[in-house]
Amino acid sequence: MKAKLKNGIAISLLPQIILVKWLAGHPDWVEKYYSEGIYPPIAKSLRLLFGWIPFSVGDLLYLTLGILATRYIYKNFQSIRRKPLFLLRDVVMVFSIIYFVFHLFWGMNYHRLPLTDKLKISAEYEQEELIAFTEHLISEANRYHIQITQDSLAPVNLTQSTRKIFDGSRNGYTALEEKYPFFTYKRPSVKKSLFSLPLTYMGYGGYLNPFTNEAQVNSKIPSFRLMTISAHEIGHQLGYSAEDATNFIGFLASKSNPDINYRYGSCHHALAYCLSDVFSRDEAQFERLYEKLNPGIQENYQQLRDFWAKYENPTEPVFKSIFNTFLKANNQQQGIESYNYVVGLLIGYHQKYGF
């Protein structure tokens, strides 16, 4: 590539950043022209292109780029030492290309209208509303748990393959789209991440690859939690970037699923956020509510705690901090804490529509 072209691509990064920041101030435009206009055909095309491949193309893409970058530095180390500005220019050029493709393929969704506007609900709630809703979820979870296990003491242990769990997640969206056409999900592409072990050590359940539109799921996580995680990542594929929004969409899709195991998983996952919120406000209330859960449900929570404790390591907070910074840089001011804001969406939706 000629030097002038490299310089031009590198310099284009600045106007790109300015344009994105300007568009971020007009979420109604982003919603209409990007999230509901340009993005859906791009996403469907990417899933059509890569979805049929049984392994993660996006993970291989990241691995290949990492190898090529390492190889480039190794082969050109002496030249880099003599002319470090040329390396800086090349790095900025590559970042400029990635920045453009990221925002074109998916990233502008960070600046769309919030889901509360679309559903016409409020995410504000009082402690009394939190307690009442948590009790409702406990009742639902206990009911589903008994129907599945026929024994209040037995935890839910699923025997479905990971592939069947991913495929089944789509059924929740099929049911959901009858009420909300904007949740229509076509051309599925949900896959085991090739980096499931590293993701586990980093403390992540999955991610969306914005360059291939593949939903990457950490396949090591206990199966009853995989259901809502896969539904969460599908929410990202539909163009919802905010983590609280995709947590909520994943819950709603799983709760709408005809398979009772998904409905149990939706309540189990949502309860974790609600109980955590209760604990932060009133530990005595938390203890009272937690004791209302069937012992088998409590055992499922213990299985999750044991799972994450097994992989706990000193690097996890570092990766969480990096992701926290990334989210804040992309219009999610609460950073990684935004996952917990799903509680407000759950309560607001339940009060207006029920479930």
Side-chain angles (χ1 to χ4, degrees), residues 7 15 47 148 155 198 219-220 254 272 291 303 317 327 346 351 353:
N7 292 340
R47 294 201 297 272
I148 293 169
S219 60
K220 290 192 170 295
S254 298
E291 285 303 312
Q303 289 172 349
L327 290 176
L346 290 165
Q351 288 178 337
Y353 303 109

Side-chain angles (χ1 to χ4, degrees), residues 236-255:
H236 281 313
Q237 288 179 310
L238 292 178
Y240 294 90
S241 55
E243 299 300 339
D244 58 337
T246 45
N247 267 343
F248 172 76
I249 295 168
F251 165 84
L252 205 58
S254 298
K255 191 72 164 60

Side-chain angles (χ1 to χ4, degrees), residues 133-156 255 260 263-269 271 275 288-301:
F133 178 70
T134 303
E135 289 181 329
H136 169 73
L137 277 185
I138 289 171
S139 177
E140 289 282 277
N142 282 342
R143 179 166 63 89
Y144 292 142
H145 173 258
I146 287 295
Q147 289 179 25
I148 293 169
T149 64
Q150 304 297 314
D151 181 358
S152 65
L153 300 178
V156 171
K255 191 72 164 60
I260 193 173
R263 298 202 294 276
Y264 170 74
S266 71
C267 292
H268 192 273
H269 201 168
L271 258 176
L275 287 169
R288 181 184 70 82
L289 291 169
Y290 194 76
E291 285 303 312
K292 288 188 172 186
L293 286 170
N294 292 343
I297 299 176
Q298 295 180 10
E299 177 61 25
N300 279 144
Y301 280 124

Side-chain angles (χ1 to χ4, degrees), residues 44-175:
K44 288 177 186 176
S45 297
L46 289 171
R47 294 201 297 272
L48 176 63
L49 185 62
F50 299 112
W52 63 274
I53 301 174
F55 55 84
S56 171
V57 177
D59 281 353
L60 287 180
L61 174 64
Y62 286 158
L63 182 61
T64 301
L65 289 175
I67 293 172
L68 290 175
T70 304
R71 180 175 177 271
Y72 174 84
I73 293 172
Y74 176 77
K75 289 188 66 176
N76 298 279
F77 184 73
Q78 294 303 324
S79 175
I80 290 170
R81 288 185 61 187
R82 291 194 304 269
K83 300 176 181 179
L85 290 180
F86 284 100
L87 174 64
L88 178 61
R89 186 271 313 276
D90 288 349
V91 169
V92 174
M93 178 194 70
V94 171
F95 186 76
S96 179
I97 295 170
I98 292 173
Y99 189 86
F100 175 80
V101 176
F102 170 74
H103 283 91
L104 176 63
F105 281 13
W106 187 77
M108 283 307 302
N109 286 309
Y110 277 115
H111 309 291
R112 71 185 302 179
L113 290 171
L115 188 60
T116 48
D117 288 15
K118 204 149 198 171
L119 295 175
K120 296 179 172 54
I121 61 174
S122 170
E124 302 297 324
Y125 60 95
E126 302 294 334
Q127 182 166 344
E128 293 77 13
E129 296 170 307
L130 169 64
I131 300 299
F133 178 70
T134 303
E135 289 181 329
H136 169 73
L137 277 185
I138 289 171
S139 177
E140 289 282 277
N142 282 342
R143 179 166 63 89
Y144 292 142
H145 173 258
I146 287 295
Q147 289 179 25
I148 293 169
T149 64
Q150 304 297 314
D151 181 358
S152 65
L153 300 178
V156 171
N157 292 311
L158 303 179
T159 58
Q160 292 100 318
S161 68
T162 304
R163 181 70 267 160
K164 285 188 176 180
I165 289 174
F166 294 164
D167 291 342
S169 293
R170 184 184 180 186
N171 296 331
Y173 281 92
T174 301

